[in-house]
Amino acid sequence: MGRIVQLSEQVSNQIAAGEVVGRPASVVKELIENSVDAGASEIAVVIVDAGRTLIQVVDNGKGMSIDDAQLCFKRHATSKISKAEDLLSLVTKGFRGEALASISAVAQVELKTREIGAQIGTKVVLSGSDEGEVEEVACQEGTQFAIKNLFFNVPARRNFLKSDQVETRHIIDEFQRVAMAHPDLSFRLQSNGSDLFNFKPGTLRQRIVAIFGSKYDERLVPLNESTDVVKINGFVGKPSFSRKTRGEQFLFVNGRFIKHSLMHKAIMKAYEGVLAPGNFPLYTVFLEVDPRRIDVNIHPTKVEAKFEEDQAIFAILRSTIKRGLGKHNVAPSLDFDTELSISIDPLPSNKIVEEPQVRINPSYNPFESKSSSRSSMSKVDFGGEVIEEANLDEFFKPNDSEEVFETIDSPKYFQFQNRFIITTQGENLIMIDARRAHQRILYEQYLSEGKGGEEEFSQKLLFPEPIELNSADTLLLLEASEVLSNYGLEIEERVEGGVEIISVPTGLAGKLQDCIDSVLEALRDGSWADKESRREKLAAVWAQAGAIPKTKKLSDEEMSAMIGGLFSCDSPATDPWGKSVFVVFNAKSIDDILG
Ligand code: ADP
Ligand code: MG
């Protein structure tokens, strides 16, 4: 007797469901995309308990006939394609006919639908892919799906779900992606009885503002480009408003949200030189390409895509954004040391070309002290926050690298390009990246202090500082609030949305937005799960937010404090992210270089 048996449709649907329906958010995505495909102009989503108990999607689209209402739950039942060639001219979101089959395999489903103009509607109730019950029903035109008790028959998956806040956050992400792609439709999302979003139909600009808040209106730079290979539309954010979170980046191809690392790179390249390190610009970019020249069929959840002409699109996308930014006067304002910069004036068309002038300050001596008020200096300012002189002693904790302190008694150091501190130590010449050094110093301070949540580690703000966040980020942050308060960051929910900062780790006042953005990023990238890595991550995040910028002119006192602080660290060689803090040259290595 053979061992192979063909799986029943029920079992194979359950297996397929694992891929299509990973969590409540995937159900929401599939259902609202179906509503868009059905030509709806109004789509309302209701979730209860982050979609565990109920996900309901109501649309005013074209509805289904009684036959279709039963057929739609069968695997590979779709009205959107009928032959392989149709895949090449896809205009709908769906095409696999898998979603409803998969969803109904792992939940209790109720469908009510009435075709436009039909006298009566159809109701289908089914549970875990059983045959279901069909009856006529009076209902409004369009389609309503109610998905109850998701994963009721797959306990492993049900238990695998994260907290309500995290699952709701995923739902919001999916909801926003579809809403962003279709600003001409009205979208509503209700969670446990209260409205999270209610988007009126409008322009893309209005939709972006509805999602992120009214402040965003002035931050947007429009894009508009049309070539044979690709059409580009949408908005990018002005670099000065970029944030430490990737949460404001949307890329669509032919109306479909995708993640595409090459296109992301193209966009980031356009911002080269104008973004603060570690910051991410907002973008909502729509690419339109010939459907025959793109493959969206890579994965069932369809957030990836392959372009035939990706190199060309890369170049066009990059230059379109670069030009857009330039037009809106947000082109690079180069931050080179003026003393060393070469200034070449633009060529006048009718003039004889003269030799470009190199402006050099002849009296510039890097070994000369620039600080005029050395002795009267009582405070050292590391860019925003002030370290009292008393704390400088703390900076120079007793340590065993005595020779370092000998060298810094009489300054044998200077700053290069407002970025590197050059110093000598014995036979060696050391070139230190000041920002990385500062991050390392702060990191070790936070790590050693943040252990027990001691009082002085955290500083209560005189006036709680409001941080505006969209409702999704608010939820995510509140979810982590208990842990955060153990690390010195105390937040509370605000009635008008967003959060309020009550207290912060010492030294971070004034950098709260960056701090919050970095935390949001950590919450998203999964490094949150394990306790020890969370502690390190937060210390690194605090250090990153608190450190001086990449380029900053430092006084002699600051340089000496930085050198001393760095070499009393446990691991001075790398910053908290593993990047090298300094390079060492000695006679031999210089000989090697010289050859
Ligand atoms: P796909 O979207 O890939 O075709 P689905 O399983 O998501 O597969 O849906 C199967 C079919 O059910 C669709 O092709 C469509 O004909 C029908 N359908 C699903 N949702 C709706 C809706 N909201 N309004 C009208 N028809 C729908
Ligand atoms: Mg579908």
Side-chain angles (χ1 to χ4, degrees):
M1 206 178 74
R3 289 156 188 252
I4 299 176
V5 294
Q6 193 147 21
L7 295 174
S8 71
E9 185 169 320
Q10 189 168 348
V11 174
S12 57
N13 280 345
Q14 250 197 43
I15 293 169
E19 237 189 308
V20 183
V21 207
R23 56 184 357 144
S26 3
V27 175
V28 171
K29 169 180 186 280
E30 295 294 339
L31 293 182
I32 53 185
E33 287 191 346
N34 279 346
S35 296
V36 172
D37 284 347
S41 63
E42 287 172 21
I43 299 166
V45 183
V46 170
I47 56 171
V48 175
D49 300 332
R52 281 171 230 262
T53 308
L54 175 71
I55 296 168
Q56 193 181 15
V57 174
V58 180
D59 70 48
N60 64 351
K62 64 182 175 214
M64 282 180 264
S65 67
I66 180 161
D67 289 342
D68 283 352
Q70 293 170 271
L71 249 183
C72 71
F73 295 105
K74 297 281 180 223
R75 230 154 114 68
H76 308 303
T78 179
S79 56
K80 296 167 194 173
I81 57 171
S82 57
K83 47 190 188 306
E85 297 91 284
D86 294 347
L87 270 176
L88 302 178
S89 54
L90 211 54
V91 288
T92 53
K93 312 257 179 204
F95 58 87
R96 291 164 186 270
E98 268 181 338
L100 293 179
S102 298
I103 293 168
S104 61
V106 293
Q108 294 151 354
V109 177
E110 188 185 292
L111 161 64
K112 282 191 213 159
T113 184
R114 177 155 72 99
E115 280 189 297
I116 294 178
Q119 290 302 310
I120 192 86
T122 308
K123 177 172 157 183
V124 181
V125 179
L126 67 174
S127 170
S129 285
D130 64 7
E131 273 309 302
E133 291 161 27
V134 187
E135 59 185 83
E136 290 193 330
V137 68
C139 63
Q140 64 185 59
E141 285 177 338
T143 302
Q144 319 175 22
F145 276 100
I147 312 299
K148 294 175 191 162
N149 301 318
L150 185 62
F151 302 131
F152 76 101
N153 53 354
V154 201
R157 190 159 284 263
R158 199 178 169 89
N159 296 337
F160 185 72
L161 293 179
K162 300 275 168 50
S163 68
D164 276 10
Q165 283 92 337
V166 171
E167 294 302 335
T168 304
R169 165 78 229 190
H170 284 286
I171 290 174
I172 291 169
D173 279 345
E174 297 290 359
F175 175 85
Q176 286 183 339
R177 289 169 185 173
V178 184
M180 189 73 100
H182 300 278
D184 51 329
L185 311 182
S186 111
F187 287 90
R188 196 165 162 180
L189 175 62
Q190 207 180 63
S191 165
N192 295 335
S194 56
D195 261 344
L196 288 183
F197 297 104
N198 195 350
F199 299 144
K200 306 264 172 299
T203 61
L204 176 61
R205 181 184 276 274
Q206 288 166 331
R207 182 59 49 95
I208 294 175
V209 167
I211 290 178
F212 294 126
S214 54
K215 278 207 220 139
Y216 280 74
D217 202 18
E218 48 148 352
R219 302 182 181 181
L220 304 175
V221 174
L223 303 176
N224 207 322
E225 179 66 77
S226 182
T227 69
D228 291 345
V229 186
V230 62
K231 281 202 185 78
I232 301 174
N233 271 296
F235 292 92
V236 293
K238 295 180 183 167
S240 49
F241 294 108
S242 61
R243 293 175 54 190
K244 289 237 179 326
T245 163
R246 270 176 251 257
E248 299 173 346
Q249 304 187 329
F250 296 80
L251 178 63
F252 301 90
V253 176
N254 298 351
R256 194 188 290 278
F257 177 87
I258 62 159
K259 289 191 172 156
H260 198 285
S261 59
L262 188 69
M263 295 309 148
H264 174 73
K265 230 197 207 146
I267 297 171
M268 294 305 283
K269 275 243 171 233
Y271 279 89
E272 217 160 55
V274 293
L275 267 193
N279 276 25
F280 300 96
L282 167 152
Y283 62 75
T284 297
V285 173
F286 289 83
L287 306 180
E288 255 178 81
V289 298
D290 182 342
R292 280 168 300 182
R293 290 169 173 272
I294 181 172
D295 184 2
V296 290
N297 199 11
I298 301 173
H299 190 266
T301 58
K302 298 168 292 206
V303 292
E304 284 159 50
K306 246 202 186 110
F307 299 89
E308 234 170 75
E309 283 145 317
D310 57 1
Q311 291 305 326
I313 298 175
F314 179 95
I316 297 167
L317 180 58
R318 205 197 89 198
S319 68
T320 302
I321 295 177
K322 216 173 162 110
R323 236 176 317 119
L325 293 176
K327 243 190 243 158
H328 286 77
N329 245 342
V330 284
S333 62
L334 294 177
D335 191 20
F336 291 143
D337 193 335
T338 45
E339 288 154 325
L340 298 171
S341 83
I342 299 171
S343 146
I344 304 175
D345 292 327
L347 269 185
S349 49
N350 55 352
K351 242 184 147 187
I352 303 162
V353 183
E354 284 169 24
E355 253 183 79
Q357 293 298 301
V358 182
R359 282 197 220 132
I360 292 173
N361 176 358
S363 61
Y364 176 71
N365 178 354
F367 290 92
E368 206 172 72
S369 160
K370 286 194 203 80
S371 168
S372 51
S373 55
R374 287 189 54 186
S375 50
S376 64
M377 193 108 172
S378 65
K379 287 174 173 182
V380 180
D381 186 346
F382 276 128
E385 116 252 16
V386 168
I387 295 175
E388 300 288 337
E389 194 160 38
N391 285 355
L392 277 177
D393 296 333
E394 247 303 289
F395 236 52
F396 293 102
K397 280 179 210 146
N399 70 92
D400 39 28
S401 44
E402 279 306 322
E403 69 274 79
V404 172
F405 292 104
E406 276 163 31
T407 65
I408 60 176
D409 270 340
S410 49
K412 274 191 219 121
Y413 45 78
F414 66 97
Q415 209 183 0
F416 176 56
Q417 291 202 344
N418 279 349
R419 183 174 165 199
F420 302 101
I421 301 170
I422 315 265
T423 184
T424 54
Q425 184 206 2
E427 308 269 87
N428 298 321
L429 179 77
I430 307 178
M431 191 166 174
I432 303 169
D433 181 306
R435 173 173 160 83
R436 290 185 187 175
H438 198 199
Q439 283 196 56
R440 162 55 63 183
I441 296 165
L442 294 175
Y443 176 68
E444 295 202 2
Q445 279 176 2
Y446 288 134
L447 262 192
S448 65
E449 289 164 354
K451 271 173 201 149
E454 294 123 276
E455 274 301 298
E456 65 266 43
F457 172 61
S458 182
Q459 150 196 4
K460 234 187 178 67
L461 297 178
L462 202 50
F463 302 103
E465 182 160 329
I467 301 274
E468 270 184 47
L469 295 169
N470 62 45
S471 35
D473 286 344
T474 307
L475 272 175
L476 196 64
L477 208 57
L478 289 172
E479 146 93 345
S481 63
E482 207 180 305
V483 177
L484 289 174
S485 77
N486 289 337
Y487 294 95
L489 184 71
E490 212 180 314
I491 55 170
E492 263 170 29
E493 191 171 8
R494 285 198 313 162
V495 264
E496 59 273 50
V499 298
E500 199 166 64
I501 311 246
I502 311 293
S503 50
V504 291
T506 319
L508 290 189
K511 301 190 171 164
L512 296 176
Q513 183 74 51
D514 277 3
C515 220
I516 294 289
D517 285 346
S518 304
V519 170
L520 285 169
E521 201 54 28
L523 282 165
R524 289 202 188 94
D525 75 10
S527 53
W528 199 251
D530 153 66
K531 199 161 173 240
E532 186 56 21
S533 61
R534 190 157 67 199
R535 197 169 87 87
E536 283 164 10
K537 180 80 181 204
L538 278 178
V541 162
W542 290 177
Q544 192 178 42
I548 56 165
K550 191 166 171 181
T551 53
K552 178 173 172 35
K553 196 165 217 86
L554 298 176
S555 70
D556 285 351
E557 285 78 6
E558 290 167 336
M559 282 190 266
S560 113
M562 199 72 93
I563 297 167
L566 177 66
F567 289 104
S568 51
C569 283
D570 290 338
S571 319
T574 54
D575 75 4
W577 313 94
K579 292 192 187 133
S580 298
V581 172
F582 54 82
V583 268
V584 178
F585 300 96
N586 54 30
K588 181 171 180 316
S589 64
I590 294 171
D591 274 341
D592 286 350
I593 295 169
L594 293 175

